[in-house]
Structure formats: C-alpha cells, structure tokens
Amino acid sequence: MARVIVDVMLKPEILDPQGQAIAGALPRLGFSGVRDVRQGKRFEVEIEGEADEAALSEVRKMAETLLANTVIEDFTVRVEQ
C-alpha cells in the first residue's frame, strides 16, 4: 500500500479571500512578518500496490476529474515516504 498526496491550490491569479482573511488575522493574534497567505486543500489517497507511474497517472486523473477545479486551481501529486 502507498500513500499519494494531492495538494490543491488556487492559481496565483485567482483571488483568495480566505487566505486574505487569515493574513489579516495574524497580526491581531501577535504574528508579524507574514506578507501573504494562500489557502489550499490536501488529499491523502491510499492506493493498493506500489506508487508506480501507472498508479500516479490514475491519481492525476482523479485530481483532474474530482479533487481540483482545474479552471481556477492547480494541483501537485507526490508520494509520501
């Protein structure tokens, strides 16, 4: 069994109001020096067998089809060690 991580983030040109809200709250909570915050999603997909190229290709298809809205989001796929 292998664990594959899919990280989904809004594309840089897309406004991120949740990230802006977090960035605005940090100074009020005593945190300084943060220029920007972008909020995203992380999916952990456990697959049977090895995380070979065929399995990773299948997870990429999952991400394109269901996990990410590719019009406004980018995603990365990686194997967790």
Side-chain angles (χ1 to χ4, degrees):
M1 183 168 29
R3 179 175 292 174
V4 180
I5 306 301
V6 180
D7 290 310
V8 179
M9 295 292 295
L10 286 170
K11 291 182 177 184
E13 62 271 16
I14 301 297
L15 181 66
D16 183 358
Q18 190 168 1
Q20 288 177 334
I22 294 166
L26 289 173
R28 293 191 301 272
L29 296 171
F31 299 99
S32 61
V34 176
R35 290 185 50 196
D36 192 26
V37 175
R38 301 286 290 177
Q39 180 268 334
K41 301 178 277 192
R42 172 185 161 123
F43 297 92
E44 297 180 0
V45 181
E46 289 191 6
I47 58 174
E48 296 176 355
E50 285 186 48
D52 57 13
E53 193 51 46
L56 292 178
S57 178
E58 192 71 11
V59 174
R60 282 187 201 97
K61 285 181 191 174
M62 290 177 205
E64 290 173 352
T65 304
L66 178 64
L67 304 180
N69 176 349
T70 57
V71 173
I72 62 169
E73 296 174 319
D74 292 324
F75 66 89
T76 59
V77 176
R78 63 185 169 84
V79 179
E80 186 171 77
Q81 301 298 337

